[in-house]
Amino acid sequence: MEEKETYRIMISGGGTGGHIYPAIAIAHAWAELYPESEILFVGAEGKMEMQKVPEAGYAIEGLPVAGLQRRFTLQNLSFPFKLWDSINKAKKLIKRFKPHAVVGVGGYASGPLLYVAQQQGVPTLIQEQNSFAGLTNKLLAKQARAFCVAYEGMDKFFPADRIHFTGNPVRKDILDLASKKESAMHHFGLKADRKVILVLGGSLGARTINNAVVASMKHFEAQGYQVLWQTGKFYIEEMTGKLAEEGLAHVHALEFIREMDLAYAAADLVISRAGALSVSELSLVGKPVIFIPSPNVAEDHQTKNALACVQQDAAILLRDEEAVDGLAGKVDELMADPNGMECLGKNIRKLGKPNAAREIVKKLEALIR
């Protein structure tokens, strides 16, 4: 491949950070290698990718596609029309942009775009973040040329001869955290003499995790811990209200943490959902983790993601229904065992794939060749 040629790459998918951030990491890795390239994202109108992708410096087009609800709703009646409109718009986009390859990362928008690309003979690569393939990716599997996955055993869903075990691409700024500890403590106003518990429920928040923190926060402060707590935008008002009622000085509630590298650098222990992107990031962070998987996801894939770590003695699993009553005890148990915490951190780091984005780009290069 001549580096000077301008390659045109389309990347499609989104709906959640778990789809969007890997997509942006792939775009960054491709642009690093081929800075002359044109990269166009395709998302779903009204979804978070329409904001996050331009913030990362890339152009994006929106499709009117929406998800099919699992129960009967009026929204389902409009699904065929939105899908038809999305396929027609995808045809126009591909005709105009003439991509050398199309990457799908899962989510509504990747369905119509990859379907059209495959019908027109454009090479397609699917990046599946989870241990259980999403519906869109399963439907597109037959004609995709390559599958980049983060978990073993994905031949249940995809043709084995086209699977590449690359890991999930994540942001690069979390690779060197040791040097950031001091500035991280200062940035969040944390005390050097207190252990830091970082609580993450995703960008929108997680009701159970937030309720578990509320139930445990007085205990945490009394034990000499401090908490850096991402509540998510749906819960920030309610949670800050409960915090104010207790008047706790060492529990810090934030709607969303932008400086995740600093949050990870400050943390002694992390409490998190077990979405694929979170698991991949925490594998590179190398800190002890308590996973509280969401039970409200397709095929319970977060529990499967967490168990893949637990089986390697690389994380602790606390089930959603046990979290409110059980979190404080689980944290105390870990904090009282520094050797156990160190062991968990070392073991989860062994599962990390720091070069995932570059590996995916190599597979994409091979398709274009």
Side-chain angles (χ1 to χ4, degrees), residues 247-274:
L248 301 175
H250 300 288
V251 179
H252 308 271
L254 301 166
E255 177 184 326
F256 183 72
I257 300 173
R258 293 199 183 283
E259 308 80 2
M260 277 309 302
D261 57 324
L262 296 183
Y264 287 137
D268 293 289
L269 172 65
V270 183
I271 296 161
S272 174
R273 282 301 199 202

Side-chain angles (χ1 to χ4, degrees), residues 298-318:
E299 311 296 342
D300 198 22
H301 69 245
Q302 286 205 7
T303 299
K304 296 182 176 86
N305 293 347
L307 284 171
C309 296
V310 172
Q311 284 155 8
Q312 305 290 326
D313 195 21
I316 301 293
L317 172 65
L318 182 59

